[in-house]
Amino acid sequence: MKAIAINRYGGPDVVEYTDLPDPKVGPDSVLVEVRAAGVNPVDWKVREGALDGLLDAHFPLVMGWDAAGVVRAVGGGVTEFAPGDEVYGYVRKDAVEHGTYAELVAAPVRTLARKPAALDWAQAGGLPLAGLTARIKAIGLKAGETLLVHAAAGGVGHLAVQLARARGARVIGTAGERNHDYLRGLGAEPVSYGEGLADRVRALAPGGVDAALDLVGRGAVQVSAGLVADPARIASITDYGVKALGGQYVWVRPDAAGLAELAALADEGRLTVTVASTFPLAQAASAQALSAEGRTRGKIVLLVD
């Protein structure tokens, strides 16, 4: 199969479009023909070695944890899927080696659900990791409450806005001015990030907000601490220091049931995925470079022929 792999940690120059053996399929896995693979910031961080202290890595290392595609074969113990099924998943395993930037991936059934029919391949490929992260179960959001989302127009943020709105919550979202109309279209009230953010949020919510989701770092947790009465209702995916304030650090897990919930919302018309850019698989290095700029509205996705 064709795949995007690295043989050592480094910058974009270590990325190779290469031939590798087809994956082996274990008894609780399925072989997926990948049609689209989402690009996430964690992917280029893996490439740089930033997660080496957390996860075992084996080279050659195929990057990527998001995929949407068609089941080609199933393991002997699999009853959930059959060849020809359209699926999508957050295919994170215990070690980093056999990722989704490839024509084929062997995916444990615990990482998969049926692809949302309402989404095209690129949208489905961009949804799993970001969508599961955006479910924000850790902060217990309820109808009628107000959520502050930092970086609300990004890959996770635009999904968090929609999921919070689907729960009946009010959403205030930070973004650059070019994305304010976009956020209004998703049902959020936009505010500009940067100095004076807390005052701008209080102008919209004089009593503060009920919960906050930090998707960007850069002091967002500290700003949130002055706006949220209960620090346990502040969650961050970027700032581990949130735990020292009593908040929640989020490291999303593969979750088949969660993926099924996201798919149902998409098929009901309550959740969509904005795809900012697509790249062919061979141009994964360029896709990662765009992701690293941190200014993308929605998702970046690799398309696999």
Side-chain angles (χ1 to χ4, degrees), residues 48-49 72 80 110 114 198 216 218 259 261 269-270 291:
E48 293 178 344
R72 175 186 287 188
E80 295 89 342
R110 64 182 175 82
R114 296 184 184 276
V216 69
R218 305 173 193 168
L259 290 169
E261 289 180 14
R270 304 171 71 190
S291 172

Side-chain angles (χ1 to χ4, degrees), residues 52-289:
D52 193 60
L54 298 176
L55 298 172
D56 288 330
H58 307 286
F59 299 97
L61 186 160
V62 178
M63 292 174 287
W65 287 340
D66 275 351
V70 179
V71 175
R72 175 186 287 188
V74 301
V78 173
T79 58
E80 295 89 342
F81 303 105
D85 287 345
E86 296 184 349
V87 296
Y88 81 129
Y90 171 37
V91 191
R92 178 167 65 81
K93 304 171 186 177
D94 293 335
V96 184
E97 181 178 8
H98 302 296
T100 59
Y101 285 17
E103 292 178 327
L104 298 169
V105 64
V109 292
R110 64 182 175 82
T111 68
L112 296 176
R114 296 184 184 276
K115 172 189 168 291
L119 302 184
D120 63 25
W121 286 116
Q123 291 173 312
L127 178 57
L129 186 157
L132 290 174
T133 302
R135 292 171 73 230
I136 51 176
K137 295 292 188 180
I139 54 179
L141 191 66
K142 301 175 183 177
E145 293 188 321
T146 300
L147 172 69
L148 173 62
V149 179
H150 297 272
V156 177
H158 84 289
L159 300 171
V161 169
Q162 296 176 74
L163 293 174
R165 294 291 294 148
R167 294 184 193 177
R170 176 191 183 194
V171 180
I172 298 173
T174 75
E177 289 189 9
R178 70 182 182 89
N179 284 319
H180 283 195
D181 285 343
Y182 170 69
L183 288 183
R184 291 188 185 98
L186 295 179
E189 299 169 54
V191 293
S192 297
Y193 52 75
E195 186 175 351
L197 172 59
D199 292 334
R200 289 190 289 278
V201 173
R202 286 195 180 277
L204 295 174
V209 299
D210 297 290
L213 180 60
D214 164 34
L215 305 173
V216 69
R218 305 173 193 168
V221 164
Q222 288 70 32
V223 172
S224 299
L227 294 166
V228 180
D230 181 359
R233 303 197 69 193
I234 302 171
S236 177
I237 68 169
T238 61
D239 188 348
Y240 195 75
V242 69
K243 298 187 73 171
L245 298 175
Q248 310 286 329
Y249 179 76
V250 178
W251 176 267
V252 67
R253 300 173 180 174
D255 182 351
L259 290 169
E261 289 180 14
L262 293 170
L265 286 170
D267 287 339
E268 292 167 6
R270 304 171 71 190
L271 178 68
T272 191
V273 180
T274 296
V275 177
S277 302
T278 61
F279 293 78
L281 180 63
Q283 295 179 19
S286 297
Q288 288 189 347

